[in-house]
Amino acid sequence: MNVAAGPTPDAPVIREVVLVTGISGSGKSVALHALEDAGFFCVDNLPPELLRDFIRLEHGRSSRRIAVAVDVRSAGSLPHLVPMIEQLRSEGVAVTSVFLDAATDALVRRFSETRRPHPLSEASASHAQVAHSKGDRLAEGRRVLVDAIELERQLLAELRDLSTVIDTSELRPAQLRAWIAQLLGGAAGRLTLVFESFAFKHGVPLDADFVFDVRVLPNPHYIRELRPQTGRDADVAAYLEAQPDVAEMLAQIEAFLLRWLPAFEEDQRSYLTVAIGCTGGRHRSVYLVEKLAGRFSDQAATLVRHRELDGRDE
């Protein structure tokens, strides 16, 4: 079978192909289950060299949406995946590549909780020294795991650059499922602006293209009546709207995005994530995200994420 051959002219065009990739432990299984629940036909750990043939096979069967998970277990074939994605897109196949990432500390914690080995642990362990005491073994085990994670980041770096990135470091499974469903509901072929609020105390989102720090603005947290509310509540919004600095910050962020949005559209970007951070991720950042999403709703497709709020009641 000639893997490099393109689809025949008479083959029906598949409506959507979602490629789910990312760092081990970042939530690919959760994402794939979410896609399956949304009606996608899902295949886990498909060898990259079989992707084109699989898509061609689906052409002949139906126009159902498909999702394919590819990870570092297919490391030997990964160098061929990026040019394959680019070629498929040039042939009219709508390939959406979603890359799940997470901070190294979060990944180490997850592997420790599940007690599952990292797929590259053996490769990293081959360079480790033999440890004798229990403490040495624990320290060596952590070092091997961190080394495996960093090696995986290197192997997947090019694929990450080609993909829409979701940082799962602070996400619950319910949040990730919701974000996957939201992400794939965007308008195809049009730049989607993702506005995301977050708390700096929990780290900056790894998927952010732009980060704006609004901790210098007046904080509703210090007003007793407003503390339990969020930036989506009318009382908090009224308080922030009365602050000149808030209005100025909002206007400047809006002007920056208006200036550069056409350039990102011309660059054929599918998603642009604008992260707004404050101390707790509940008041100022949430308010600004809601306002910006409203102001840009007629400029581009918009998605709203509140990392510290979404899914907390699930």
PDB file of all heavy atoms in Angstrom, residues 57-69:
ATOM      1  N   LEU A  57      -9.826   5.397   4.086  1.00  0.00           N
ATOM      2  CA  LEU A  57     -10.805   4.339   4.356  1.00  0.00           C
ATOM      3  C   LEU A  57     -12.124   4.944   4.823  1.00  0.00           C
ATOM      4  O   LEU A  57     -13.206   4.512   4.414  1.00  0.00           O
ATOM      5  CB  LEU A  57     -10.246   3.381   5.411  1.00  0.00           C
ATOM      6  CG  LEU A  57     -11.159   2.222   5.842  1.00  0.00           C
ATOM      7  CD1 LEU A  57     -11.421   1.298   4.662  1.00  0.00           C
ATOM      8  CD2 LEU A  57     -10.514   1.459   7.000  1.00  0.00           C
ATOM      9  N   GLU A  58     -12.043   5.962   5.674  1.00  0.00           N
ATOM     10  CA  GLU A  58     -13.256   6.618   6.159  1.00  0.00           C
ATOM     11  C   GLU A  58     -13.973   7.351   5.042  1.00  0.00           C
ATOM     12  O   GLU A  58     -15.196   7.454   5.042  1.00  0.00           O
ATOM     13  CB  GLU A  58     -12.911   7.590   7.286  1.00  0.00           C
ATOM     14  CG  GLU A  58     -12.648   6.912   8.615  1.00  0.00           C
ATOM     15  CD  GLU A  58     -13.876   6.158   9.112  1.00  0.00           C
ATOM     16  OE1 GLU A  58     -14.955   6.765   9.204  1.00  0.00           O
ATOM     17  OE2 GLU A  58     -13.745   4.958   9.402  1.00  0.00           O
ATOM     18  N   HIS A  59     -13.231   7.872   4.069  1.00  0.00           N
ATOM     19  CA  HIS A  59     -13.841   8.511   2.903  1.00  0.00           C
ATOM     20  C   HIS A  59     -14.810   7.555   2.210  1.00  0.00           C
ATOM     21  O   HIS A  59     -15.895   7.941   1.775  1.00  0.00           O
ATOM     22  CB  HIS A  59     -12.767   8.923   1.900  1.00  0.00           C
ATOM     23  CG  HIS A  59     -12.108  10.226   2.234  1.00  0.00           C
ATOM     24  ND1 HIS A  59     -11.010  10.686   1.542  1.00  0.00           N
ATOM     25  CD2 HIS A  59     -12.380  11.163   3.170  1.00  0.00           C
ATOM     26  CE1 HIS A  59     -10.634  11.855   2.050  1.00  0.00           C
ATOM     27  NE2 HIS A  59     -11.444  12.152   3.025  1.00  0.00           N
ATOM     28  N   GLY A  60     -14.386   6.310   2.122  1.00  0.00           N
ATOM     29  CA  GLY A  60     -15.198   5.338   1.414  1.00  0.00           C
ATOM     30  C   GLY A  60     -16.371   4.806   2.222  1.00  0.00           C
ATOM     31  O   GLY A  60     -17.261   4.162   1.664  1.00  0.00           O
ATOM     32  N   ARG A  61     -16.364   5.063   3.516  1.00  0.00           N
ATOM     33  CA  ARG A  61     -17.418   4.506   4.372  1.00  0.00           C
ATOM     34  C   ARG A  61     -18.546   5.499   4.635  1.00  0.00           C
ATOM     35  O   ARG A  61     -19.713   5.201   4.458  1.00  0.00           O
ATOM     36  CB  ARG A  61     -16.828   4.066   5.715  1.00  0.00           C
ATOM     37  CG  ARG A  61     -16.037   2.776   5.651  1.00  0.00           C
ATOM     38  CD  ARG A  61     -15.534   2.416   7.030  1.00  0.00           C
ATOM     39  NE  ARG A  61     -14.907   1.089   7.064  1.00  0.00           N
ATOM     40  CZ  ARG A  61     -14.318   0.580   8.144  1.00  0.00           C
ATOM     41  NH1 ARG A  61     -14.268   1.287   9.255  1.00  0.00           N
ATOM     42  NH2 ARG A  61     -13.781  -0.610   8.095  1.00  0.00           N
ATOM     43  N   SER A  62     -18.189   6.679   5.108  1.00  0.00           N
ATOM     44  CA  SER A  62     -19.204   7.646   5.520  1.00  0.00           C
ATOM     45  C   SER A  62     -18.565   9.012   5.659  1.00  0.00           C
ATOM     46  O   SER A  62     -17.371   9.183   5.444  1.00  0.00           O
ATOM     47  CB  SER A  62     -19.821   7.228   6.861  1.00  0.00           C
ATOM     48  OG  SER A  62     -18.854   7.326   7.895  1.00  0.00           O
ATOM     49  N   SER A  63     -19.385   9.981   6.038  1.00  0.00           N
ATOM     50  CA  SER A  63     -18.882  11.329   6.275  1.00  0.00           C
ATOM     51  C   SER A  63     -18.845  11.638   7.768  1.00  0.00           C
ATOM     52  O   SER A  63     -18.908  12.796   8.167  1.00  0.00           O
ATOM     53  CB  SER A  63     -19.767  12.355   5.559  1.00  0.00           C
ATOM     54  OG  SER A  63     -21.108  12.244   5.993  1.00  0.00           O
ATOM     55  N   ARG A  64     -18.760  10.598   8.598  1.00  0.00           N
ATOM     56  CA  ARG A  64     -18.750  10.822  10.041  1.00  0.00           C
ATOM     57  C   ARG A  64     -17.472  11.530  10.465  1.00  0.00           C
ATOM     58  O   ARG A  64     -16.422  11.414   9.830  1.00  0.00           O
ATOM     59  CB  ARG A  64     -18.886   9.501  10.784  1.00  0.00           C
ATOM     60  CG  ARG A  64     -17.739   8.517  10.540  1.00  0.00           C
ATOM     61  CD  ARG A  64     -18.016   7.195  11.232  1.00  0.00           C
ATOM     62  NE  ARG A  64     -16.993   6.193  10.925  1.00  0.00           N
ATOM     63  CZ  ARG A  64     -17.042   4.939  11.384  1.00  0.00           C
ATOM     64  NH1 ARG A  64     -18.055   4.551  12.126  1.00  0.00           N
ATOM     65  NH2 ARG A  64     -16.081   4.076  11.073  1.00  0.00           N
ATOM     66  N   ARG A  65     -17.574  12.249  11.552  1.00  0.00           N
ATOM     67  CA  ARG A  65     -16.410  12.934  12.101  1.00  0.00           C
ATOM     68  C   ARG A  65     -15.522  11.923  12.815  1.00  0.00           C
ATOM     69  O   ARG A  65     -16.009  11.039  13.511  1.00  0.00           O
ATOM     70  CB  ARG A  65     -16.846  14.026  13.072  1.00  0.00           C
ATOM     71  CG  ARG A  65     -17.692  15.108  12.424  1.00  0.00           C
ATOM     72  CD  ARG A  65     -18.115  16.157  13.437  1.00  0.00           C
ATOM     73  NE  ARG A  65     -18.942  15.570  14.487  1.00  0.00           N
ATOM     74  CZ  ARG A  65     -19.338  16.243  15.568  1.00  0.00           C
ATOM     75  NH1 ARG A  65     -18.973  17.496  15.737  1.00  0.00           N
ATOM     76  NH2 ARG A  65     -20.099  15.664  16.464  1.00  0.00           N
ATOM     77  N   ILE A  66     -14.216  12.091  12.664  1.00  0.00           N
ATOM     78  CA  ILE A  66     -13.301  11.149  13.307  1.00  0.00           C
ATOM     79  C   ILE A  66     -12.300  11.907  14.170  1.00  0.00           C
ATOM     80  O   ILE A  66     -11.966  13.059  13.909  1.00  0.00           O
ATOM     81  CB  ILE A  66     -12.561  10.279  12.282  1.00  0.00           C
ATOM     82  CG1 ILE A  66     -11.632  11.119  11.406  1.00  0.00           C
ATOM     83  CG2 ILE A  66     -13.537   9.485  11.431  1.00  0.00           C
ATOM     84  CD1 ILE A  66     -10.747  10.274  10.498  1.00  0.00           C
ATOM     85  N   ALA A  67     -11.844  11.237  15.216  1.00  0.00           N
ATOM     86  CA  ALA A  67     -10.815  11.769  16.107  1.00  0.00           C
ATOM     87  C   ALA A  67      -9.765  10.691  16.314  1.00  0.00           C
ATOM     88  O   ALA A  67     -10.095   9.524  16.540  1.00  0.00           O
ATOM     89  CB  ALA A  67     -11.416  12.189  17.445  1.00  0.00           C
ATOM     90  N   VAL A  68      -8.511  11.097  16.219  1.00  0.00           N
ATOM     91  CA  VAL A  68      -7.396  10.156  16.322  1.00  0.00           C
ATOM     92  C   VAL A  68      -6.432  10.669  17.390  1.00  0.00           C
ATOM     93  O   VAL A  68      -6.027  11.838  17.360  1.00  0.00           O
ATOM     94  CB  VAL A  68      -6.656  10.013  14.981  1.00  0.00           C
ATOM     95  CG1 VAL A  68      -5.461   9.082  15.125  1.00  0.00           C
ATOM     96  CG2 VAL A  68      -7.604   9.507  13.897  1.00  0.00           C
ATOM     97  N   ALA A  69      -6.086   9.801  18.319  1.00  0.00           N
ATOM     98  CA  ALA A  69      -5.101  10.146  19.344  1.00  0.00           C
ATOM     99  C   ALA A  69      -3.749   9.575  18.949  1.00  0.00           C
ATOM    100  O   ALA A  69      -3.632   8.385  18.635  1.00  0.00           O
ATOM    101  CB  ALA A  69      -5.524   9.613  20.711  1.00  0.00           C
TER     102      ALA A  69
END
